[in-house]
Amino acid sequence: MNALKALHDEQDQAVWLDFVARGFIEKGELKQLVERDGLRGVTSNPSIFEKAIGHSDEYDASIKAVQETGDSRVIDLYEGLAIADIQAAADVLRPVYEASDGADGYVSLEVSPYLALDTEETLTEARRLHKAVSRDNLMVKVPATPEGIPAIRQLTAEGISINVTLLFSQEAYEAVARAFVDGLDARAKAGHDVSRIASVASFFISRIDVLVDKLLDEKIAQANDPDEKIALEQLKGKVAIANAKLAYQRYRSIFAEPKWTGLAEKGAKAQRLLWASTGVKNKAYSDVLYVEELIGPNTVNTMPPATMDAFRDHGVVRATIEEDVPGAEAVMARLARTGIDIEKIAEQLVREGVQLFIDAADNLLGAVAGKRAALLGHRLDGQSLALEETLANEAKKTVESWRASGAIRRLWAGDATVWSGQDEAGWLGWLHIVEEELEKAADYAAFSDWVKSQGFTDAVVLGMGGSSLGPEVLSLTYGQREGFPKLQILDSTHPDQVRALEASIDLGKTLFIVASKSGSTLEPNVFRDYFLSRAKDVLGETAGEHFVAVTDPGSDMERAAKADGFRKIFYGVKQIGGRYSVLSAFGLVPAAAMGLDVKAMLETARVMVRSCGPVVPPAVNPGVLLGTALGAAALAGRDKVTVIASPAIDSFGAWAEQLIAESTGKQGKGLVPVDGEPVGVPAVYGHDRFFLYLRLDGGAAVAQDDALRALERDGHPIARITLGSIEQLPQEFYRLEMATAVAGGVLGINPFDQPDVEASKVETKKLFAEAEASGSLPSETPLFADDTIALYADPKNAEGLKQASHGLDVALKAQVARLKDGDYLALLAYVPRDERTAGILQEARIAIRDGRKVATCLEFGPRFLHSTGQAYKGGPDTGVFLQITADPSQDLPIPGRKLGFTTVVAAQARGDFAVLAERGRRALRVHIKGDLETGLKRITAALKAAVA
């Protein structure tokens, strides 16, 4: 008789196959094993599926078919494949199941190894898989971890058949067996049928000998006594079988106890011991050792195909499981005397077993992610990293560290220890916001239709930082849509800028979008007060109909909007910080107002969300890859993230600036983003740059491409992001959000707080309150003043700039001289932001960069206070700051307040400088008196002369 078939027919041992694959089932090979060899079950695990799916193309057509119906998550693609295979295998084995009255004919599917240490998640996953497979002859595999054992009891009580995996010790086996009995007992007491529940306890064999033999070899090498060496040698290859035989004795004892016999009388089936890992690893041993020595009644041996072939060919069938039990006890006693603790061995093997399955799952899901990306093609924005060898190696180590620690899964699960272990878990709403907002797509479409129906010519976002920078990108990238208003942004309290915006609109035909998360931010409130008053002058008491608010529930802004009769209030998510809010209502309301298809935007973004998902391994996860590269670069001193973008999408840099700076620049660490600095030749850069290049296919600038290639040849690190079209820009919001969060984890900081931004707000509010009380801001004494310029500094900076008393040229030369290698210069201009002012100051920054090979930042206040201001005050102390203020042409009163916008912007500038000084930053303030353009040109000339 066929030896495999004889195992069951003669010894009541079921043969199961430790293998499954699509083609193997479809070609009838599984059915052949059932008919020829009496195969009675199939087991699977992540390693088996990794080999089947990751190392073949037989699943590609199925993945393609699913993707053609719409993009899917990586985990859904994998599970769809696995469940289909398990169902097909279960159907092949269904006759065995029926003929054995539910004792055999099972196929096993494992819960995710990522959940091995979480009881509740294991329960949820097991129930879900049981329902999804929908086959009576399914066994759900649950690991015998301490967290798995309670799940085994509960799932058994619920009537789910369980294959308990990763058993190595007798003690653990007994705990598992009793959990099974307790679960059945609970089910019986609840009045449910217990006769159709089956279970196996997968007791691993060969891995024990592999580890024990290694430890024995070490002891043999250390032993001096020849007899001791012989005794140790004789234990090799014996421990795994002895351990299993003694586990079988425990099985016999447990399932002879009264508690069990009572259940058996109700038709319950005993949990069988299943010998797993029976393929021999040591070639010195017989290739059927772990089959021949463990044959006994009411047991299972699950074999890999090679072991099945070997046993079919030359295996000997005889009852062995209870042979020489005293000898097995002696083996285990001798092992204990050597100092090798089998329980510690078992604990180690469980940990390693879980990790091996995690590694296999990572490889499997990485393969599926790669196939998904290939099928998506240009619909998924591309990414490539060009890093010099040392940085590439560090980034690779960081990626592997994230994989081995499960950091991306922990990030998605809200584990604050990914970062600093503070309140990070409370700020992760952005992870899921795309799916949540897609459920509201119809609401945004309705709002968009209403806006169009009203005939508005303009829509103005009144907000700061995260409330304004995202909408600004949308406005500048997509432009005005036919039939919809032109979207404009006001994020400056400079009276000349406020006045200029008002002059550009028709108040009677303008929709105002007042955006503030907290509702207490100074700027949106004064903007609202001013424009609501001006709108009432034109529209009367119905002016509120031209206003909508975007704010968090329960905020002061919500209360004010209701009181003022705003047309609508859209709510943000409290668990999303402003800089992560562009794909929430704060970005989507302006998008809808300007006529963009919000649903299409979100669906595009979702492609990237899924690419950065929790089960997508770091090595193929674009957000993690970029974030680890940024973090590794920062730690290596390349912390100036220079954003270069194709002309049609170059406004993205200002949004990226806030996200990167405000998230990472704290505790003296962080990344300093550089936006708007035109790309130069390699000679003008130091060794502190990391270039982030967003390239638009069909809209790329040849000069940028050439310059980036030259920089790469010169050894500068470059992350290239390729967009197929501007419609795919929403993907980049999410990619960079994920990358920034990951970089924060690499740096060990909280990427969701902004302590130094708050410090500036506090200082500004204090100054403004004092000014309202006294009628003006406190007077200041300049270091130098003439008819058009005055210089100011705190005492410490004044001491370091004694030359400032000799005039502007000398002062700026001294300030520039404070720059060292690896530093950056930031021009902080509290003046109207327009092409004229930016153009003048741009000349100065380029001259400084080219002359000193340092990074340069050109910022306009007060908007940068809610952006890069965090990094300037809390990040690395490598900044040299030149603040520029100017007298407005005319003040603009704010309704309900004693003082106007001139005082607001002046208080903001002073508050900003005060915190810079308090943080010990190298700062100087230049105040322009009189004509602004003349003053800016004078400053620029002095800066250019300083590096001439």
Side-chain angles (χ1 to χ4, degrees):
M1 179 184 283
N2 181 324
L4 287 168
K5 207 164 188 178
L7 282 172
H8 183 260
D9 292 352
E10 297 177 8
Q11 300 296 332
D12 191 28
Q13 181 174 73
V15 174
W16 287 13
L17 174 66
D18 197 26
F19 176 75
V20 69
R22 177 72 48 93
F24 176 75
I25 301 169
E26 290 179 345
K27 293 172 185 175
E29 294 175 65
L30 175 61
K31 185 177 181 182
Q32 184 181 3
L33 290 180
V34 173
E35 294 172 348
R36 180 187 66 191
D37 298 323
L39 184 74
R40 303 182 68 77
V42 169
T43 54
S44 70
N45 59 49
S47 299
I48 289 171
F49 277 116
E50 190 267 328
K51 291 182 178 69
I53 298 172
H55 296 273
S56 77
D57 60 5
E58 67 182 24
Y59 292 85
D60 291 3
S62 296
I63 295 174
K64 183 178 181 182
V66 173
Q67 283 295 100
E68 284 176 348
T69 65
D71 183 42
S72 293
R73 299 186 306 163
V74 169
I75 189 63
D76 293 334
L77 287 171
Y78 155 65
E79 283 194 356
L81 299 174
I83 287 171
D85 281 2
I86 295 299
Q87 288 174 327
D91 292 344
V92 172
L93 284 158
R94 181 77 189 193
V96 177
Y97 174 79
E98 296 289 357
S100 65
D101 192 30
D104 252 323
Y106 287 91
V107 182
S108 297
L109 178 61
E110 188 151 357
V111 298
S112 169
Y114 302 142
L115 308 177
L117 304 180
D118 190 318
T119 302
E120 290 303 317
E121 289 295 328
T122 294
L123 285 167
T124 300
E125 173 102 334
R127 292 165 182 146
R128 185 176 62 79
L129 291 176
H130 176 73
K131 182 178 180 181
V133 174
S134 188
R135 296 293 189 276
D136 295 335
N137 55 332
L138 169 74
M139 276 190 178
V140 179
K141 291 179 79 172
V142 175
T145 57
E147 296 81 3
I149 290 174
I152 292 161
R153 182 195 182 283
Q154 180 60 35
L155 292 167
T156 302
E158 294 175 15
I160 297 175
S161 294
I162 301 298
N163 177 340
V164 184
T165 187
L166 292 178
L167 278 165
F168 296 92
S169 84
Q170 299 166 49
E171 294 296 329
Y173 163 66
E174 182 164 342
V176 162
R178 296 197 182 282
F180 167 74
V181 173
D182 289 346
L184 271 189
D185 187 49
R187 183 169 179 79
K189 287 177 177 176
H192 299 302
D193 180 22
V194 295
S195 66
R196 305 299 289 181
I197 313 300
S199 181
V200 294
S202 296
F203 202 88
F204 281 57
I205 309 301
S206 65
R207 293 188 195 179
I208 290 178
D209 273 348
V210 169
L211 181 52
V212 170
D213 286 0
K214 178 184 176 183
L215 296 174
L216 288 170
D217 283 337
E218 292 173 0
K219 290 185 177 294
I220 290 168
Q222 295 168 2
N224 296 317
D225 183 350
D227 292 338
E228 183 183 357
K229 286 180 179 287
I230 293 171
L232 291 167
E233 188 70 40
Q234 289 175 344
L235 282 173
K236 291 175 64 178
K238 303 288 195 304
V239 173
I241 291 171
N243 192 43
K245 286 187 174 186
L246 297 181
Y248 187 77
Q249 293 303 304
R250 296 205 187 198
Y251 155 80
R252 291 194 58 189
S253 175
I254 293 168
F255 289 95
E257 293 173 355
K259 187 172 185 179
W260 172 253
T261 56
L263 289 166
E265 289 171 0
K266 296 176 181 178
K269 298 175 179 65
Q271 181 189 63
R272 291 177 292 174
L273 271 163
L274 177 150
W275 311 125
S277 183
T278 54
V280 173
K281 307 294 193 294
N282 189 330
K283 292 183 179 180
Y285 303 156
S286 164
D287 58 358
V288 292
L289 173 69
Y290 298 129
V291 182
E292 290 183 340
E293 296 298 321
L294 297 173
I295 301 172
N298 209 30
T299 59
V300 180
N301 195 311
T302 185
M303 309 176 201
T307 303
M308 286 188 70
D309 292 342
F311 195 81
R312 185 190 303 112
D313 179 69
H314 52 266
V316 176
V317 178
R318 62 187 180 87
T320 54
I321 190 65
E322 294 196 270
E323 279 186 350
D324 194 17
V325 172
E329 292 171 340
V331 166
M332 299 308 292
R334 293 207 311 272
L335 180 71
R337 288 197 294 272
T338 68
I340 298 175
D341 186 335
I342 191 63
E343 288 298 322
K344 289 184 178 178
I345 292 289
E347 290 172 5
Q348 177 182 337
L349 287 171
V350 170
R351 290 194 303 271
E352 291 177 354
V354 170
Q355 189 59 53
L356 284 170
F357 283 156
I358 286 174
D359 294 346
D362 284 345
N363 291 333
L364 164 62
L365 294 167
V368 175
K371 293 174 187 288
R372 170 182 171 272
L375 288 169
L376 283 169
H378 69 274
R379 289 179 290 161
L380 173 64
D381 290 351
Q383 174 177 295
S384 64
L385 297 171
L387 311 177
E388 53 82 21
E389 185 176 3
T390 301
L391 180 55
N393 288 336
E394 287 304 311
K396 187 176 181 180
K397 290 178 186 175
T398 307
V399 168
E400 173 55 21
S401 172
W402 267 64
R403 188 204 68 80
S405 67
I408 185 58
R409 297 189 300 277
R410 290 163 46 218
L411 182 155
W412 276 87
D415 182 352
T417 63
V418 170
W419 298 283
S420 66
Q422 299 177 38
D423 68 342
E424 290 92 341
W427 295 100
L428 297 177
W430 57 274
L431 287 171
H432 305 280
I433 192 61
V434 170
E435 293 287 357
E436 292 172 4
E437 293 291 3
L438 271 168
E439 295 177 3
K440 306 174 188 173
D443 295 339
Y444 289 114
F447 173 65
S448 188
D449 290 343
W450 175 80
V451 171
K452 187 176 185 179
S453 72
Q454 297 302 300
F456 292 118
T457 57
D458 291 275
V460 179
V461 174
L462 306 176
M464 299 296 293
S467 300
S468 63
L469 291 168
E472 181 179 73
V473 174
L474 300 178
S475 173
L476 295 175
T477 300
Y478 298 114
Q480 186 172 4
R481 298 297 171 105
E482 184 176 354
F484 286 90
K486 176 184 178 181
L487 184 67
Q488 299 195 65
I489 315 296
L490 180 62
D491 58 0
S492 174
T493 53
H494 197 288
D496 293 346
Q497 191 121 27
V498 178
R499 193 179 292 107
L501 181 133
E502 183 179 355
S504 74
I505 62 175
D506 180 342
L507 285 167
K509 295 182 178 181
T510 297
L511 173 69
F512 293 95
I513 303 170
V514 188
S516 173
K517 272 190 66 63
S518 67
S520 60
T521 303
L522 174 66
E523 297 94 336
N525 279 299
V526 296
F527 294 156
R528 179 201 65 215
D529 292 345
Y530 178 78
F531 280 103
L532 184 59
S533 174
R534 294 290 295 117
K536 285 181 177 179
D537 291 342
V538 175
L539 299 167
E541 291 305 310
T542 64
E545 284 288 311
H546 282 225
F547 284 72
V548 299
V550 187
T551 189
D552 283 354
S555 72
D556 292 341
M557 184 66 73
E558 178 190 19
R559 287 185 284 275
K562 289 179 176 178
D564 291 328
F566 279 22
R567 172 71 188 191
K568 189 172 180 60
I569 300 172
F570 292 89
Y571 293 103
V573 176
K574 286 187 175 182
Q575 292 75 29
I576 302 178
R579 57 188 175 275
Y580 290 84
S581 68
V582 64
L583 296 172
S584 75
F586 286 94
L588 301 181
V589 170
M594 66 179 288
L596 296 182
D597 185 337
V598 170
K599 183 180 180 182
M601 282 179 60
L602 291 168
E603 288 175 339
T604 298
R606 184 166 61 183
V607 174
M608 185 58 67
V609 175
R610 290 172 171 172
S611 298
C612 297
V615 301
V616 181
V620 292
N621 188 311
V624 178
L625 278 174
L626 180 56
T628 50
L630 287 167
L635 295 174
R638 286 191 174 271
D639 58 355
K640 312 304 187 304
V641 181
T642 305
V643 182
I644 309 294
S646 296
I649 54 173
D650 61 3
S651 61
F652 183 83
W655 175 84
E657 227 183 11
Q658 183 203 16
L659 178 68
I660 294 170
E662 204 168 36
S663 297
T664 70
K666 56 201 69 170
Q667 299 174 27
K669 305 175 184 179
L671 297 159
V672 178
V674 179
D675 173 49
E677 190 186 71
V679 64
V681 298
V684 302
Y685 296 108
H687 298 292
D688 58 346
R689 300 283 189 140
F690 184 106
F691 290 91
L692 178 60
Y693 179 31
L694 281 82
R695 185 183 189 278
L696 179 64
D697 284 347
V702 174
Q704 287 181 337
D705 283 345
D706 292 343
L708 268 296
R709 280 192 288 268
L711 289 167
E712 182 179 347
R713 287 193 297 270
D714 202 52
H716 291 281
I718 299 170
R720 287 183 173 85
I721 309 296
T722 305
L723 288 75
S725 68
I726 59 172
E727 280 70 33
Q728 290 176 208
L729 190 62
Q731 291 186 25
E732 298 319 310
F733 291 130
Y734 198 88
R735 183 202 310 263
L736 198 58
E737 286 174 356
M738 179 61 75
T740 302
V742 170
V746 175
L747 295 174
I749 51 91
N750 181 346
F752 309 115
D753 67 358
Q754 49 282 333
D756 300 287
V757 169
E758 299 302 327
S760 286
K761 287 182 180 179
V762 169
E763 188 65 25
T764 295
K765 283 184 177 179
K766 183 179 75 172
L767 284 166
F768 189 73
E770 291 175 354
E772 286 224 298
S774 65
S776 65
L777 290 169
S779 61
E780 300 176 288
T781 302
L783 305 177
F784 167 83
D786 60 19
D787 291 341
T788 61
I789 289 289
L791 304 177
Y792 298 91
D794 62 286
K796 184 177 179 181
N797 274 300
E799 182 65 24
L801 292 168
K802 291 182 178 179
Q803 306 94 318
S805 61
H806 299 296
L808 178 69
D809 291 351
V810 176
L812 293 191
K813 186 171 185 177
Q815 182 70 345
V816 169
R818 301 172 92 177
L819 288 164
K820 305 186 295 293
D821 289 346
D823 283 349
Y824 65 94
L825 177 75
L827 302 176
L828 312 178
Y830 284 80
V831 302
R833 182 173 63 94
D834 53 39
E835 290 184 4
R836 178 175 58 98
T837 55
I840 296 169
L841 293 174
Q842 189 78 333
E843 286 184 38
R845 79 180 296 195
I846 295 171
I848 297 294
R849 180 198 67 182
D850 294 354
R852 294 299 303 270
K853 295 186 179 181
V854 296
T856 60
C857 305
L858 173 56
E859 307 289 353
F860 285 87
R863 79 185 224 141
F864 82 87
L865 290 177
H866 301 262
S867 173
T868 50
Q870 171 62 46
Y872 296 160
K873 300 173 183 72
D877 187 12
T878 52
V880 172
F881 302 95
L882 184 65
Q883 189 187 77
I884 301 169
T885 57
D887 292 330
S889 60
Q890 184 180 346
D891 196 9
L892 197 61
I894 303 170
R897 298 180 185 265
K898 296 178 182 178
L899 300 175
F901 280 101
T902 296
T903 307
V904 173
V905 72
Q908 289 176 309
R910 289 205 200 179
D912 174 34
F913 196 95
V915 178
L916 284 171
E918 190 271 329
R919 299 290 191 272
R921 302 316 201 205
R922 292 162 287 175
L924 175 67
R925 175 180 157 216
V926 182
H927 183 74
I928 298 170
K929 299 183 286 184
D931 184 68
L932 175 61
E933 185 171 346
T934 300
L936 291 175
K937 287 181 176 178
R938 183 178 172 189
I939 292 169
T940 294
L943 287 170
K944 292 168 77 172
V947 294

